[in-house]
Amino acid sequence: MVSNGALFLLLTGFSGLVYGEVAANFNNCLQFFYRNEPPKGITGPEYRHICQLYQNAYRFATLYNSKYRTPLYSAYKLHRSDGKRPKTKWMIEPQLANSKGSKSMMYIKNPDQNVKESQAVDDDYKNSGYTRGHLNPSSHQATMDDRTATFTLTNIVPQTLASNSRDWGKFEQNISARFKNVCKDKLYVVTGIIPYQSGEHKINDRVFIPEYIWSAYCCNDNNVGKDQGKYFPTYAAVGRNDPNSGDDVVTRDPNKSGYDVKEMPLEELETILKKKLNMNITLFDGHCGAKRRAKKLK
């Protein structure tokens, strides 16, 4: 029997839709991946490679599943930011619905049926009980345009309020602090989701809710000192998006909210993704020095 996690990776998109160049590859935005190499081991015609374009510039990259109307992951470079959260409307990707559509994200007040079938729209989240959870958070971007570009719904998943505003939000803040204190050059981040293994957990009967959210980061090896401990050059985490989930991925602390976040070595996260998604996923080319660091720590 094929699990729902495997189906997330195997199901194809809507056959009646026409997809634009967004579906081909990440060749136009490889700069957002460590060594210009996207994660390996994820294949299938159901995925849409989105080089997120805003104001004539690529801002980050997203691997999107139109069937589930959620991203599998977003990849970006973290920047120092003291800017405020933008006051902007939620955007969509016209090119997902029509091959002649704009390659740039944009706000559309009343999206048509082709748009609704190809991706999530703002109405899906209204009164759903879930927040619009960024995979690439605006707080990890420096310029106003970069922060605004994170407000495309192809970068968003249904996230519980407690996870978004507290536990996972605190983890995002910790990554920013580590970057400021340690990583002197570039910090590459890939943040994604793990779907439920059974049942159909959806908002508006359209957008699939993730059971877990995960993230991994990689700092250029040459810019990290030998005394930085386990967190560099690469580390990872998984957070609970459901307080009632089992303890096989992240053990729930009974004294906390139930949306616990567990930090871990990169290899541990990749083992979890292999089990839950049924694919041998490598997030960073050469593991970003993780194996070499592990030998040093022994």
Side-chain angles (χ1 to χ4, degrees):
M1 180 178 292
V2 180
S3 70
N4 249 27
L7 284 173
F8 182 85
L9 294 169
L10 296 175
L11 284 172
T12 60
F14 289 90
S15 59
L17 297 174
V18 179
Y19 296 97
E21 293 180 6
V22 68
N25 50 54
F26 286 125
N27 285 352
N28 287 330
C29 54
L30 292 175
Q31 67 269 28
F32 299 110
F33 301 97
Y34 177 64
R35 293 181 177 174
N36 295 327
E37 288 286 348
K40 295 181 175 64
I42 304 170
T43 59
E46 67 274 23
Y47 291 109
R48 307 294 172 240
H49 300 75
I50 304 175
C51 288
Q52 300 280 12
L53 185 66
Y54 179 73
Q55 297 293 348
N56 297 317
Y58 293 113
R59 309 293 173 170
F60 62 102
T62 297
L63 189 65
Y64 193 76
N65 187 309
S66 294
K67 175 70 174 181
Y68 281 68
R69 300 185 179 91
T70 57
L72 179 61
Y73 69 73
S74 284
Y76 60 96
K77 288 187 288 189
L78 190 148
H79 297 279
R80 292 172 175 83
S81 176
D82 296 318
K84 295 181 179 179
R85 179 185 175 98
K87 293 182 179 180
T88 185
K89 295 179 179 179
W90 293 97
M91 295 177 283
I92 57 91
E93 300 290 337
Q95 59 181 324
L96 277 176
N98 191 308
S99 61
K100 297 181 180 180
S102 171
K103 295 179 182 178
S104 179
M105 64 183 71
M106 63 176 59
Y107 168 71
I108 297 179
K109 184 177 181 180
N110 296 306
D112 64 23
Q113 191 60 31
N114 276 345
V115 171
K116 291 180 180 179
E117 289 189 355
S118 68
Q119 60 200 281
V121 296
D122 193 36
D123 282 347
D124 290 324
Y125 285 85
K126 293 178 179 178
N127 303 314
S128 68
Y130 287 82
T131 67
R132 299 164 183 82
H134 286 70
L135 295 189
N136 173 9
S138 64
S139 62
H140 282 186
Q141 300 301 323
T143 71
M144 179 58 73
D145 280 348
D146 283 340
R147 291 195 296 274
T148 300
T150 67
F151 286 80
T152 169
L153 289 163
T154 53
N155 178 49
I156 299 300
V157 298
Q159 189 174 7
T160 51
L161 177 61
S163 170
N164 197 355
S165 63
R166 294 190 300 184
D167 297 70
W168 190 257
K170 183 178 179 180
F171 167 74
E172 291 175 340
Q173 294 173 6
N174 289 341
I175 299 306
S176 292
R178 290 175 194 165
F179 172 64
K180 291 178 181 179
N181 294 332
V182 177
C183 191
K184 306 303 181 184
D185 186 15
K186 299 181 181 69
L187 190 71
Y188 296 89
V189 184
V190 182
T191 299
I193 62 97
I194 298 174
Y196 285 87
Q197 300 296 289
S198 61
E200 290 194 351
H201 301 256
K202 295 184 285 187
I203 61 172
N204 198 28
D205 199 32
R206 283 174 32 87
V207 183
F208 278 69
I209 303 164
E211 186 173 14
Y212 300 95
I213 300 173
W214 55 265
S215 185
Y217 63 84
C218 166
C219 181
N220 190 314
D221 300 2
N222 296 327
N223 294 313
V224 179
K226 296 181 180 180
D227 59 343
Q228 299 305 330
K230 65 182 180 181
Y231 294 119
F232 286 93
T234 183
Y235 217 59
V238 178
R240 298 163 65 98
N241 197 37
D242 185 342
N244 298 313
S245 294
D247 292 340
D248 59 323
V249 175
V250 180
T251 301
R252 176 177 177 175
D253 186 335
N255 298 317
K256 294 185 177 180
S257 66
Y259 299 94
D260 307 71
V261 175
K262 178 184 178 182
E263 295 196 66
M264 61 189 68
L266 175 65
E267 294 89 346
E268 184 175 346
L269 171 60
E270 291 179 339
T271 298
I272 291 171
L273 295 180
K274 178 181 179 180
K275 177 182 177 181
K276 293 294 185 178
L277 302 180
N278 196 30
M279 282 196 174
N280 291 314
I281 297 176
T282 300
L283 294 176
F284 298 120
D285 182 58
H287 287 82
C288 187
K291 293 183 177 180
R292 185 176 72 252
R293 183 203 61 197
K295 291 179 180 179
K296 291 181 178 179
L297 293 177
K298 289 182 179 179

